[in-house]
Amino acid sequence: MTSPPFRESLKTVQGASLLALYAFTAMAVIGYGVYGRHPELIPQTEFGLRVFSVSFPMFARLHIVIAALVMAAVLLKSLGWRWVLPFVAVYSLSFAAEHIGTGYGVPFGGYEYTGLLGPKLGGRVPFLIPISWFLMAIPSWVIARHAFDGRRMAVGRITLGALWLTIWDLALDPAMSFLTPYWMWEETGSYYGMPAVNLLGWLVTGLALMGVIEAFSRRVAWETLNLRWMVGYYLAMVAMPLGMLVAAGLWLGVLVTGLAVAAGGAATIRLAAGRTAGLSPSTTLGEVGA
């Protein structure tokens, strides 16, 4: 039997790595649903209590680490090392936004991180947080590019990419702040304690991050990244907080996130279809709202 071509083998590795991310996500959500929601089920032994005390703060950290390894493998395969400089730029910009936010309440509102996400940079921002911004900024931009291709469509790409990035927080914030204290708000809002200004902060930060990725698009061939894989990756990242909301029965958050993803997907597909048919984005958006 002949071995598959090397390129096909790499595609298989890409698929396997994404499946591994989904598998860890499922394990983490099940663990949270069983033991996080029902701590009385934890074996009341020294070993059982120790395992839970370690695993509970670690599952979110490990999810970011595993997701980062999976994304890095795919980016290395497709882009070589050219993605490293954009990563540094996105990391630096998102860290600055978080550091200002935790210190001055701009642009997200006043909040602070607890110690559950590990060591902090500058005494306020866990070093894993800017990594997670990058991990979701890339698929958000790739999905947006599917709708707005071409050099003259940069504003559309940046805007839609920022919206896709913001959609993630509709599940992330209720899961990681309301259900579990990974960060805490100074002033609570009506959506599971999250102030409305936080979404505006996400959108503004998202626009800045999409702008950085767009600025590197002439040096980094982001368009070579596989759209289907990136959609699967985006959904895997959303699945963690969304699964927690399901386990806790926070159905409003599940509904809002589900509708936002569905609406975003429908709009992106319609815009892409209009582009290939030669329609203007404004005409296609009008059809979406009809």
Side-chain angles (χ1 to χ4, degrees):
M1 180 181 296
T2 59
S3 59
F6 182 65
R7 183 181 296 273
E8 294 300 315
S9 299
L10 285 176
K11 288 182 179 179
T12 301
V13 171
Q14 284 181 296
S17 64
L18 189 57
L19 287 176
L21 178 59
Y22 271 100
F24 179 83
T25 300
M27 291 175 56
V29 170
I30 292 171
Y32 170 77
V34 174
Y35 297 110
R37 300 300 300 172
H38 304 283
E40 69 276 7
L41 296 178
I42 302 172
Q44 298 300 304
T45 63
E46 182 180 354
F47 177 76
L49 294 173
R50 181 176 300 175
V51 168
F52 180 78
S53 66
V54 172
S55 61
F56 179 76
M58 286 298 295
F59 85 94
R61 302 185 208 178
L62 283 175
H63 194 256
I64 297 174
V65 171
I66 293 172
L69 292 174
V70 170
M71 178 62 79
V74 169
L75 293 181
L76 282 171
K77 180 263 176 182
S78 299
L79 305 174
W81 293 98
R82 292 188 297 275
W83 61 274
V84 174
L85 187 56
F87 166 75
V88 172
V90 169
Y91 189 100
S92 301
L93 184 57
S94 57
F95 168 75
E98 293 274 2
H99 197 261
I100 294 171
T102 51
Y104 303 99
V106 178
F108 308 104
Y111 68 105
E112 66 175 344
Y113 285 100
T114 64
L116 291 177
L117 284 173
K120 300 177 183 179
L121 297 176
R124 296 203 293 261
V125 182
F127 79 93
L128 289 174
I129 289 296
I131 295 177
S132 66
W133 279 99
F134 177 80
L135 297 180
M136 286 299 270
I138 295 300
S140 295
W141 188 92
V142 171
I143 293 170
R145 181 187 175 276
H146 182 62
F148 293 101
D149 193 11
R151 293 296 177 187
R152 297 183 179 180
M153 296 290 186
V155 173
R157 270 194 303 276
I158 291 171
T159 303
L160 185 58
L163 287 171
W164 273 112
L165 188 61
T166 303
I167 286 173
W168 181 37
D169 193 49
L170 296 174
L172 187 67
D173 213 282
M176 298 301 180
S177 179
F178 183 79
L179 288 178
T180 52
Y182 285 91
W183 57 85
M184 302 177 66
W185 292 104
E186 292 179 4
E187 296 182 5
T188 58
S190 57
Y191 185 70
Y192 299 111
M194 180 187 73
V197 69
N198 180 53
L199 290 179
L200 178 60
W202 269 74
L203 184 60
V204 170
T205 304
L207 289 171
L209 298 185
M210 293 303 118
V212 169
I213 295 172
E214 183 70 29
F216 280 97
S217 62
R218 294 190 179 185
R219 298 183 180 181
V220 182
W222 304 116
E223 66 275 6
T224 62
L225 298 174
N226 185 276
L227 173 64
R228 291 185 178 181
W229 191 93
M230 287 291 166
V231 170
Y233 183 91
Y234 179 95
L235 294 177
M237 296 295 283
V238 172
M240 170 72 91
L242 189 62
M244 293 172 64
L245 300 188
V246 171
L250 300 187
W251 302 114
L252 176 61
V254 174
L255 179 63
V256 169
T257 304
L259 288 176
V261 171
T268 301
I269 292 170
R270 185 65 66 88
L271 285 165
R275 174 175 57 81
T276 56
L279 301 176
S280 68
S282 59
T283 301
T284 312
L285 279 173
E287 293 176 356
V288 172

